[in-house]
């Protein structure tokens, strides 16, 4: 094996003194201390606009905050709450359990039934996503052969009790209007 | 004869100073988080009270409510004593720091200083070295390898930097010729070439740098916070500590910071001195005199002290959120190979300058 | 005995063996749909085409009999092209929406089109949508997915012999239906779901319940009659999802030196093939009877209600048995395994000194329809009656009806379940008996009236052996975990024996070893039989 050798960079006097570089560093931090851009969002007084695959806009409680963050949006490919897409009245999902199988965290539970849709054999009787288990990895979306399940940019996933975060078929179908 | 009124005044003063230090410690914890947040374009804690001002109260409550865990194999007695050893010396050191000129009240001389020793600086060195025991003992008594390593690092770091710190201070002693901190502060008011105040930083620039660096190491602050290096030693010497015991270590560190800032201010920035301000008011050479009341002068002096200390506290935070941590070999190399020779060089130069009657 | 060459390998096979069978016996895979080892090949699907030297066209290997000097190639480009073309043709109207289909995971078409199929189709026309048909109340038929292999038709013609099914219409519209005025009778209908290579025929019972790839398959024995058919139990955790025959796994049969074409099988082999390929509908749909989990969460002690731990209950029972001496009455269910029966009879004979035992009587297993050629059911619905008779005989214990045991009013009555509600009739008559112990997995009226109930396992939860009517010792295996605080019946019995006499009988294989040594009937119940259930080797790893 060829030997690896590294040559240490030779410092010139200015660098070797450190002090000047340290002062420069201090300059950078103090600049940020006084001149700040606003990145942080004071949730829940301020909220982000949800755009992209959901048309839903969250209620913004604070008018001023809204002005401030008007241009800040959740990115298109943010992986938030799940949604089941529908064609007309009927859901697209065929309860094939691909998503349930692929989910590394056992967050999805499905019970199939005979489908009312003549084009399909099965549809979910129960479709449940347990958001407290979900890691928002998006595998289920990748796995779905029918493009039925998708993830929205709905990020505000808070509830007072755990069962509220276990969302059912009906709710999943109405996340996207 | 014991002068009860004087005793009462000093007692009151020490209680006041004690409370003030504790308050400052509390708000320093908040300041640290806010300052770091601002430097990183964040917001920091802003939920408890206006601008998050009551955050320290919430933190304190949390510390009190938390479960106090003592590791099964720990040495119970030493484990309990260590936090106290860390915080008490930190508080005691402040006793000799003057925060104003002597006051003359109804025939009494009141020093704005809790104890006006004639060996002030030695006292500081003596007591500050006690604080290190808290860390070493805490590290050893926890019976945890990380804690022990933290304690050991702390010991070797302390030995290295105590020397350079002492060497830097010798320069100051040579210039001002007193061990009393109040005298040192006073002398810094005298003018150099009749124009510039003889502040330590101007008279001893090299000594100042050596002292500043050493002080950072002494207080275990970044870039020298190796005894508690999170990325290497979990929590260092306080890995096993929880609840109020942990809080004591925490408070000890911040109290040390306050003392260190006060020392820097006193030794190198004139302490309570305001340039050209004397007992009777501002005396500006060749221009004239502005007369001021004694109480007003005292207030200006105390304020000046507070501002200087405040700046150095901020400086501590500022440095912490700017610099990365040293590696341990770099730390000792810096101490032994750079700072100690520089300290000695400083003494030689100072001696020469004194011989030449420049300072 | 012709010798011929297949893919460069020279092999000798029996007279009349087809190329496909010969290839399978060599582990060479020739894809096929319509061939099935249980009935005559139809040569319908053309999937099994191979190239044979000196024959200008590709030949269907399932119908071509191997002859001396043949040179067969199964992997040439021509063959591959043909396979791909056949699959493209089969998929013309096949929806290929496997996620939507219940067969996915065990579908031959899915496997083959993945392995051999074309990656795109030349057909641009939309696929035809067709109505689902209910072939019977147990079977759903989806003509879209049917590949017209006619296995189901030939099953009803060759195996069942009643010829209800036929192909109607032609071309893309053809579908499987019953002849007008005929219907598929309950009896052997479930098998067509097993033999259908695709998802066209599915049982209503299992449809949509669970994905097959989530299930764990266990080889075990059907407990619903004395025939002891070999079955697979597909289960997940605590739940049995379906029971199916060990159809399609007879590869090793082809290695038999006497192997011959189907028609030339000796009688016993035909029996064996049928018995392992097919099961009756009682076994397929009725398994729930034998596993239904009752509501006995833990030991019940009505004698000393405060002592309900297993240790308390077992020492109480042991103490009572000791007190009762030879006045212990024993009743055993024919659902008990050989090992349990042995331990129980050992307890009665050597520890109490009782010389009679009652065996719970289950009604006879009737054939469903006298007209069928396939007649699998045997004896009564008691899977291990023969085994209990043999063990009792060997230990010198007389078998009497249950009434007599109850009527003799023993000091202590010990009932070894599962009783499956058959003891409920005696609930009134047990009045005078001072202490009654029951081992059962399921709550019943009888269980509510006894002093001690020790929850045991059902057949899918335990390991052991059953002896069928023909005297074949077969292995049952644990397929699911037991919920709650139930215990293995055998462990309960051995614990009681240990508690009384300090003798350790050990686990199921120790006891089996003991029986093999002591009871001549069990001689030869060797390891091979026990691991496979029948004299065939373990199923090949493949699904098909
Ligand atoms: S996003 Fe990931 S964790 Fe969440 S349900 Fe889908 S597969 Fe499961
Ligand atoms: S959401 Fe998609 S992957 Fe999940 S069951 Fe429905 S069709 Fe299948
Ligand atoms: S029958 Fe087989 S190939 Fe056809 S859809 Fe079902 S699983 Fe897929
Ligand atoms: S239903 Fe199944 S077994 Fe019957 S012809 Fe169609 S594919 Fe073959
Ligand atoms: S298996 Fe040979 S033609 Fe179908």
């Amino acid at each position: 094996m060829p030997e690896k050798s590294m040559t240490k960079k030779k410092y010139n006097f200015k660098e070797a003194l450190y002090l000047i570089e340290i002062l420069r560093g201090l300059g950078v931090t103090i600049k940020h201390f006084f001149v700040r851009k606003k990145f942080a969002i004071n949730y829940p007084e301020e909220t982000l606009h949800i755009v992209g695959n959901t048309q839903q806009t969250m209620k913004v409680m604070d008018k001023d905050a809204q002005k401030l963050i008007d241009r800040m949006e959740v990115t298109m490919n943010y992986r938030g709450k799940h949604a089941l897409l529908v064609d007309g009245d009927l859901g697209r999902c065929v309860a094939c359990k691909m998503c349930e199988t692929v989910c590394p965290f056992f967050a999805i539970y499905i019970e199939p039934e005979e489908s009312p849709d003549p084009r399909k054999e099965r549809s979910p009787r129960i479709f449940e996503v347990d958001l407290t288990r979900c890691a928002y990895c998006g595998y289920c979306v990748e796995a779905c052969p029918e493009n039925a399940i998708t993830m929205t940019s709905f990020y505000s996933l808070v509830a007072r009790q755990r069962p509220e975060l276990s969302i059912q078929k009906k709710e999943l179908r109405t996340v996207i209007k | 004869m014991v002068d009860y009124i004087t005793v009462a005044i000093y007692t009151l003063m020490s209680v006041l100073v004690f409370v003030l230090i504790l308050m400052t410690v509390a708000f320093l914890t908040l300041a640290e988080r806010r300052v770091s947040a601002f430097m990183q374009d964040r917001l920091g804690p802003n939920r408890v009270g206006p601008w998050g001002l009551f955050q320290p109260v919430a933190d304190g409550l949390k510390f009190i409510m938390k479960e106090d865990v003592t590791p099964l194999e720990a040495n119970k007695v030493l484990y309990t004593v260590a936090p106290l050893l860390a915080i008490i010396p930190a508080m005691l050191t402040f006793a000799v720091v003057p925060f104003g000129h002597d006051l003359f009240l109804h025939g009494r001389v009141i020093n704005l200083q809790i104890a006006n020793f004639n060996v002030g600086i030695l006292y500081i060195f003596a007591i500050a070295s006690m604080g290190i025991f808290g860390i070493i003992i805490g590290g050893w008594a926890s019976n945890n390898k990380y804690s022990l390593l933290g304690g050991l690092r702390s010991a070797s770091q302390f030995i290295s930097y105590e020397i350079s710190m002492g060497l830097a201070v010798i320069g100051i002693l040579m210039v001002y010729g007193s061990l009393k901190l109040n005298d040192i502060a006073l002398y810094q008011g005298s003018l150099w070439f009749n124009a510039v105040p003889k502040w330590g930083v101007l008279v001893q620039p090299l000594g100042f740098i050596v002292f500043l660096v050493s002080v950072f190491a002494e207080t275990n602050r970044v870039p020298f916070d190796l005894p508690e290096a999170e990325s290497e030693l979990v929590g260092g010497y306080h890995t096993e500590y929880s609840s109020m015991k942990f809080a004591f270590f925490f408070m000890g560190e911040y109290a040390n910071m306050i003392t260190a800032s006060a020392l820097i201010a006193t030794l190198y920035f004139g302490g309570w001195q305001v340039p050209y301000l004397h007992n009777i008011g501002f005396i500006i050479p060749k221009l004239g005199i502005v007369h001021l009341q004694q109480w007003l002068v005292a207030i200006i002096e105390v304020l000046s002290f507070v501002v200087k200390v405040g700046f150095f506290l901020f400086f501590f935070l500022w440095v912490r959120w700017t610099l990365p941590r040293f590696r341990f070999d770099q730390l000792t190399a810096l101490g032994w190979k750079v700072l100690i020779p520089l300290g000695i060089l400083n003494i030689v130069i100072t001696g020469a300058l004194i011989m030449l009657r420049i300072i | 005995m012709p010798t011929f060459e297949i893919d460069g390998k020279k092999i000798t096979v029996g007279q009349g063996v087809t190329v496909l069978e010969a290839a399978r016996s060599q582990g060479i895979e020739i894809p096929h749909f319509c061939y099935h080892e249980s009935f005559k090949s139809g040569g319908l699907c053309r999937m099994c085409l191979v190239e044979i030297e000196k024959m200008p066209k590709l030949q269907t290997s399932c119908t071509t009999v191997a002859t001396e000097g043949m040179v067969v190639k199964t992997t040439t480009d021509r063959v591959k092209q043909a396979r791909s073309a056949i699959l493209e043709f089969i998929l013309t109207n096949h929806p290929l929406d496997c996620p939507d289909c219940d067969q996915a995971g065990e579908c031959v078409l899915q496997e083959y089109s993945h392995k051999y199929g074309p990656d795109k189709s030349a057909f641009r026309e939309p696929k035809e949508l067709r109505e689902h048909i209910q072939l019977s109340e147990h079977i759903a038929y989806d003509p879209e997915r049917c590949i017209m292999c006619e296995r189901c038709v030939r099953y009803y013609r060759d195996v069942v012999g009643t010829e209800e099914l036929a192909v109607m219409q032609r071309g893309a519209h053809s579908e499987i239906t019953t002849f007008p005025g005929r219907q598929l009778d309950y009896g052997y209908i479930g098998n067509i779901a097993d033999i259908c290579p695709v998802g066209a025929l599915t049982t209503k019972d299992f449809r949509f319940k669970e994905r097959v790839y989530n299930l764990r398959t266990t080889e075990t024995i059907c407990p619903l009659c004395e025939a002891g058919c070999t079955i697979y139990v597909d289960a997940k955790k605590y739940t049995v999802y379906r029971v199916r025959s060990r159809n399609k796994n007879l590869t090793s049969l082809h290695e038999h030196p006497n192997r011959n074409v189907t028609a030339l099988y000796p009688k016993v082999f035909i029996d064996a093939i049928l018995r392992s390929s097919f099961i009756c509908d009682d076994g397929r749909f009725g398994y729930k009877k034998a596993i239904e989990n009752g509501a006995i969460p833990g030991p019940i002690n009505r004698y000393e209600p405060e002592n309900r731990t297993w240790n308390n209950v077992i020492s109480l029972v042991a103490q009572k048995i000791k007190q009762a001496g030879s006045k212990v009455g024993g009743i055993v269910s024919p659902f008990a395994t050989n090992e349990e029966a042995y331990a129980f009879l050992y307890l009665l004979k050597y520890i109490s000194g009782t010389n009679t035992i009652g065996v719970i009587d289950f009604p006879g297993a009737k054939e469903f329809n006298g007209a069928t050629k396939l007649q699998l059911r045997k004896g009564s619905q008691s899977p291990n009656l023969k085994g209990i008779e043999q063990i009792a005989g060997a230990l010198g214990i007389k078998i009497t009806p249950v009434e007599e045991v109850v009527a003799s009013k023993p000091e202590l009555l010990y009932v070894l379940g599962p009783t499956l509600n058959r003891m409920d009739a005696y609930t009134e008559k047990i009045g005078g008996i001072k202490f009654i112990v029951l081992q059962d997995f399921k709550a019943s009226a009888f269980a509510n009236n006894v002093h001690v109930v020790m929850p045991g396992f059902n057949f899918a939860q335990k390991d052991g052996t059953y002896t069928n009517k023909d005297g074949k010792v077969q292995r049952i295996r644990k397929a699911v975990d037991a919920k709650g605080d139930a215990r293995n019946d055998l462990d309960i019995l051995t614990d009681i024996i240990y508690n009384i006499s300090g003798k350790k009988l050990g686990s199921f294989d120790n006891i089996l070893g003991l029986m093999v040594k002591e009871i001549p009937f069990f001689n030869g119940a060797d390891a091979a039989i026990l691991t496979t259930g029948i004299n065939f080797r373990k199923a090949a790893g493949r699904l098909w």
Side-chain angles (χ1 to χ4, degrees), chain A residues 43-103:
Chain A
Y43 186 83
E45 292 91 1
E46 311 165 9
T47 45
L48 287 190
H49 276 286
I50 292 180
V51 293
N53 44 8
T54 59
Q55 264 75 58
Q56 207 167 16
T57 314
M58 288 184 61
K59 236 201 286 169
V60 177
M61 300 171 198
D62 184 339
K63 279 271 147 49
D64 297 335
Q66 189 183 2
K67 245 180 257 160
L68 195 62
I69 55 170
D70 227 8
R71 270 165 298 129
M72 296 176 91
E73 312 174 318
V74 184
T75 54
M76 286 284 280
N77 46 9
Y78 181 85
R79 295 195 299 264
K81 192 179 186 175
H82 301 250
L84 282 177
L85 298 176
V86 282
D87 286 345
D89 283 347
L90 299 162
R92 274 199 206 170
C93 173
V94 295
C96 67
K97 296 201 182 198
M98 293 283 169
C99 48
E100 189 193 84
T101 308
V102 81
C103 178

Side-chain angles (χ1 to χ4, degrees), chain A residues 94-98 100-101 112-114 119-122 145, chain C residues 99-102 129 132 142 145 207-211 213-214:
Chain A
V94 295
C96 67
K97 296 201 182 198
M98 293 283 169
E100 189 193 84
T101 308
E113 63 175 1
E114 293 281 348
R119 290 163 302 172
K120 298 194 169 87
E121 219 169 270
R122 39 207 271 165
Chain C
D100 203 350
C101 174
D102 222 34
L129 277 176
H132 294 190
D142 183 354
R145 302 189 199 280
R207 200 167 152 83
F208 304 160
K209 285 284 176 332
E210 189 47 88
R211 280 289 174 200
Y213 46 73
N214 288 337

Side-chain angles (χ1 to χ4, degrees), chain B residues 163-288:
Chain B
I163 299 170
S164 47
M165 192 159 119
L167 289 176
V169 169
I170 286 174
I172 291 282
L173 298 185
M174 285 164 77
V175 176
Y176 301 117
S178 172
L179 284 171
K180 275 188 180 180
L181 285 170
N182 203 11
D183 288 354
I184 294 176
L186 198 60
Y187 295 154
Q188 290 185 52
S190 56
L191 297 182
W192 204 9
F193 309 127
N194 237 350
V196 191
K198 256 183 159 181
W199 277 12
V201 64
L202 301 175
V203 187
Q204 291 276 306
L206 189 57
F208 169 65
I209 290 172
V210 173
F211 187 83
L212 189 69
V213 175
S214 310
V215 148
F216 269 86
E218 291 286 284
T219 46
N220 288 334
R221 291 289 297 188
V222 170
F224 304 116
D225 64 337
L226 286 121
E228 46 181 309
E230 299 89 353
S231 46
E232 303 153 29
L233 295 182
V234 191
Y237 58 89
H238 56 56
T239 304
E240 294 288 358
Y241 280 90
S242 52
S243 184
M244 265 332 261
K245 287 192 190 130
F246 172 74
F248 278 155
F249 271 125
F250 208 61
M251 283 155 63
E253 186 186 321
Y254 283 101
N256 264 330
M257 244 166 83
I258 297 173
T259 315
S261 306
L263 264 187
I264 300 175
T266 309
L267 294 182
Y268 290 95
F269 288 85
W272 44 264
Q273 272 292 344
V274 181
Y276 314 116
L277 185 65
H278 291 265
N279 270 353
I280 46 165
F282 284 103
I283 306 176
I284 302 170
K286 293 181 194 126
L287 286 178

